[in-house]
C-alpha cells in the first residue's frame, strides 16, 4: 500500500537441488498463506512486540486453529512437524527455527492464530539476538542491520506467513510506521 513502511526484502526459500525442489515443492500441495489482520486499520499486520506479550486484542480470527492435521512442528524460515522458520534477511545467511504446531494443554489441539503470532515473533527475536553478534555479509545494505542500535523486534510488524516448501514457512515482515 502506498505510504506504508517497507517490507523486509527476503528471497523466497528454494531448495538447492532439483531433486529437493521436486520432493519438497513440486510434489506437495502448498497451503494457503496465513494473514495476520488487525481490526485496527492503522496497521497492516500485527506488531511483533505485541505478539510477544500476547497483546493482540485487535487480531482478527485470533482463536482460529492453525495447522490442523499437521505434524507436531514446522520450520520457520527467515530467507520463514515442528514449525520450521526460515529467513534470508538482507545481509545475513539464511536462518531456520522450529516451532510447535500443537498446543499440549488440555484438551490437546492445534495452536491458534494468536499463539502462532507469538511463536513467530519469538523466532524473529531469537534471530535478531543471534545475528546482532555476527558481522553482515560484505557489500550488504546496512539499513537492514539488526540489533540494539539498529532494527529491533519492536520495529517489526508480522503481516503474513507463506508455505514455501514441505514443512517450511516463511514470514512476511515489514517495518513499523
Amino acid at each position: 500500500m502506498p505510504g506504508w513502511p517497507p517490507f523486509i526484502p527476503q528471497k523466497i526459500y528454494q531448495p538447492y537441488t532439483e531433486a529437493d525442489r521436486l520432493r519438497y515443492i513440486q510434489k506437495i500441495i502448498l497451503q494457503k498463506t496465513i494473514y495476520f489482520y488487525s481490526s485496527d486499520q492503522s496497521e497492516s499486520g500485527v506488531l511483533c512486540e505485541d505478539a510477544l506479550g500476547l497483546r493482540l486484542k485487535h487480531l482478527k480470527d485470533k482463536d482460529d486453529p492453525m495447522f490442523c492435521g499437521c505434524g507436531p512442528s514446522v520450520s520457520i524460515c527467515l530467507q520463514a512437524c515442528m514449525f520450521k522458520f526460515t529467513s534470508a534477511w538482507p545481509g545475513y545467511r539464511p536462518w531456520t527455527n522450529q516451532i510447535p504446531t500443537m498446543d499440549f494443554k488440555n484438551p490437546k489441539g492445534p495452536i491458534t492464530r494468536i499463539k502462532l503470532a507469538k511463536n513467530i515473533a519469538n523466532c524473529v527475536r531469537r534471530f535478531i539476538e543471534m545475528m546482532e553478534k555476527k558481522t553482515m555479509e560484505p557489500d550488504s545494505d546496512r539499513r537492514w542491520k539488526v540489533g540494539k542500535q539498529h532494527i529491533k523486534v519492536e520495529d517489526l510488524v508480522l503481516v503474513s506467513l507463506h508455505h514455501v516448501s514441505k514443512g517450511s514457512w516463511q514470514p512476511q515482515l515489514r517495518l513499523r510506521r
Side-chain angles (χ1 to χ4, degrees), residues 52 95 121-134 146-148 151-153:
L52 286 171
W95 184 81
N122 267 317
C123 287
V124 171
R125 181 185 49 77
R126 280 192 294 276
F127 168 79
I128 290 172
E129 288 171 353
M130 291 180 67
M131 295 303 139
E132 76 179 326
K133 299 170 187 156
K134 297 188 184 286
V146 297
K148 290 181 179 80
I151 296 174
K152 304 174 290 303
V153 73

Side-chain angles (χ1 to χ4, degrees), residues 83-98:
F83 196 69
K84 183 175 170 184
F85 181 77
T86 301
S87 175
W89 192 282
Y92 299 96
R93 306 213 19 96
W95 184 81
T96 301
N97 194 58
Q98 298 281 330

